[in-house]
Amino acid sequence: MKTVLLAGGLGGARLAPALARVLGARRLSVVANVGDDLEWMGLRVCPDLDSISYALAGLWDRNRGWGRRGETFRVRDALSALGAPSWFNVGDADFALHLERSRLLDSGRNLTDATREIARKLGVRRVSVLPAADAYAPTRFVLRDGRHFEFQEWYVRTRARLPLRRIILSRRRASAAALQALHEADAVVLGPSNPVTSIGAILALRGMAAAIRQVARRIAVCPVVIGRPSADPGIQHHARARRLVLEAEGGYDRPASIAARYVGLIDRFVLDRSDRAEAPAIRRLGIEPVLSDLLDEGVLARRLSELASE
Ligand code: FO1
């Protein structure tokens, strides 16, 4: 039994280690969004790939929701003192990873190979972490005031405060390794990540949707639990981004509205028990609603493992 998890940074970093424990690491491949990638100080930064690799290696800063635990920011501070841009906070050890990835890419390796090498050095055991695309494929935004921003400029620099008019997802080719993993999979899980800028950015890549439709069991996990907003300010920023992104797409930050984006692609949609009132609307979409506990990754991973093998 092989399972592929499609995911963004936060949702992927939380769920992937639990899923690896339940399924067995060899049986899991994680395809990470690359729409959040940016060029920073001449280096290629891949936040979602890195969050997932750090989490699988036990290095992820879960409280902050990105980067490594115990980071220092001396390079950022020194750059800032020199007058360099400093709105994107890259930690010192994280900087080292971006330097090494950029060196591997400059030496002719593709992002799939560079990611594999780095994950192995970080101590990721057996789980394959695969970029959704090898090409640079950033998500772009048209703001309501007409300005154009790349993902991180809007998300971090403005803290997702400016309303969006349009979201432009890259149509570059999906990576050969991601397509191959889907080809060999018995189940695919669309993770609890932003349905447009994380999962949608993966689905928009050429070849991806067709590869997913060929997998026997296709499951999505809802990224939202209604009425349980987190007290964590970092997460509020994340939730605001999701609301503005869905608004720009004419949708709502609710389970049934998110499930509607996946019609024709998935058979089952896992949502939190407390949102059971949404289940009939999901069933009317032709998708089977499955209730679980979305705030407990262990419980969720066990439920997903059952669904993947049923
Ligand atoms: N998120 C922030 O809110 N502020 C930051 O300064 C920031 C820096 C950063 C550096 C490296 C990295 O891998 C991620 C970083 N993130 C930061 C997180 C990132 O913007 C988002 O969490 C993801 O792109 C969303 O999935």
Side-chain angles (χ1 to χ4, degrees):
M1 284 295 302
K2 286 194 171 176
T3 297
V4 172
L5 170 68
L6 311 184
L10 197 56
R14 283 181 174 160
L15 183 54
L19 214 43
R21 273 193 297 276
V22 171
L23 295 171
R26 259 181 241 286
R27 301 211 173 98
L28 178 66
S29 298
V30 186
V31 171
N33 170 42
V34 291
D36 294 15
D37 289 12
L38 76 161
E39 301 278 356
W40 182 250
M41 303 304 296
L43 304 175
R44 174 78 173 272
V45 179
C46 306
D48 292 1
L49 268 178
D50 295 346
S51 287
I52 292 165
S53 298
Y54 285 146
L56 287 165
L59 300 170
W60 187 54
D61 189 326
R62 197 187 166 96
N63 293 330
R64 196 171 47 213
W66 49 272
R68 292 176 72 140
R69 261 187 289 120
E71 263 291 19
T72 51
F73 288 87
R74 296 188 59 185
V75 174
R76 177 205 60 188
D77 294 345
L79 283 167
S80 170
L82 291 169
S86 56
W87 56 264
F88 196 67
N89 298 284
V90 176
D92 296 332
D94 200 34
F95 246 124
L97 187 156
H98 309 321
L99 281 162
E100 173 58 1
R101 172 167 43 226
S102 302
R103 186 188 71 81
L104 290 168
L105 294 175
D106 286 346
S107 76
R109 242 69 63 95
N110 63 18
L111 186 59
T112 298
D113 292 342
T115 303
R116 186 182 300 120
E117 280 199 33
I118 289 169
R120 190 166 54 82
K121 298 271 170 51
L122 289 175
V124 176
R125 299 279 164 254
R126 294 185 285 275
V127 180
S128 299
V129 182
L130 307 169
D134 278 312
Y136 186 52
T139 294
R140 296 193 162 87
F141 296 118
V142 183
L143 271 56
R144 215 175 276 160
D145 65 15
R147 280 182 292 167
H148 287 234
F149 277 13
E150 271 196 11
F151 181 91
Q152 296 295 345
E153 226 181 335
W154 176 74
Y155 184 79
V156 172
R157 197 173 186 171
T158 79
R159 299 204 71 71
R161 283 208 181 88
L162 304 179
L164 302 170
R165 180 188 299 162
R166 200 156 68 86
I167 296 147
I168 304 167
L169 303 175
S170 170
R171 305 274 167 194
R172 303 296 295 260
R173 263 202 77 71
S175 69
L179 294 178
Q180 183 62 27
L182 286 164
H183 183 68
E184 292 168 7
D186 305 286
V188 58
V189 177
L190 280 53
S193 299
N194 188 301
V196 180
T197 56
S198 298
I199 305 298
I202 298 175
L203 299 176
L205 296 166
R206 277 190 287 131
M208 194 58 88
I212 290 169
R213 284 196 192 96
Q214 282 165 8
V215 181
R217 285 173 280 280
R218 289 163 282 131
I219 307 150
V221 182
C222 187
V224 178
V225 180
I226 302 174
R228 279 211 235 170
S230 168
D232 179 339
I235 308 298
Q236 280 165 16
H237 159 215
H238 202 73
R240 178 166 63 236
R242 192 180 55 231
R243 186 170 48 75
L244 289 179
V245 158
L246 284 164
E247 236 171 64
E249 294 262 306
Y252 301 97
D253 197 19
R254 302 183 67 89
S257 177
I258 292 167
R261 301 190 60 83
Y262 300 144
V263 167
L265 209 57
I266 58 159
D267 307 313
R268 288 165 171 171
F269 188 80
V270 183
L271 68 161
D272 197 76
R273 253 174 238 301
S274 63
D275 290 341
R276 64 176 68 78
E278 295 275 301
I282 294 167
R283 200 167 282 119
R284 281 197 293 277
L285 296 167
I287 296 172
E288 187 191 331
V290 178
L291 300 177
S292 183
D293 183 351
L294 295 195
L295 302 184
D296 182 328
E297 287 106 39
V299 170
L300 174 61
R302 280 193 293 280
R303 190 74 188 100
L304 288 170
S305 160
E306 288 163 12
L307 295 172
S309 58
E310 260 169 17

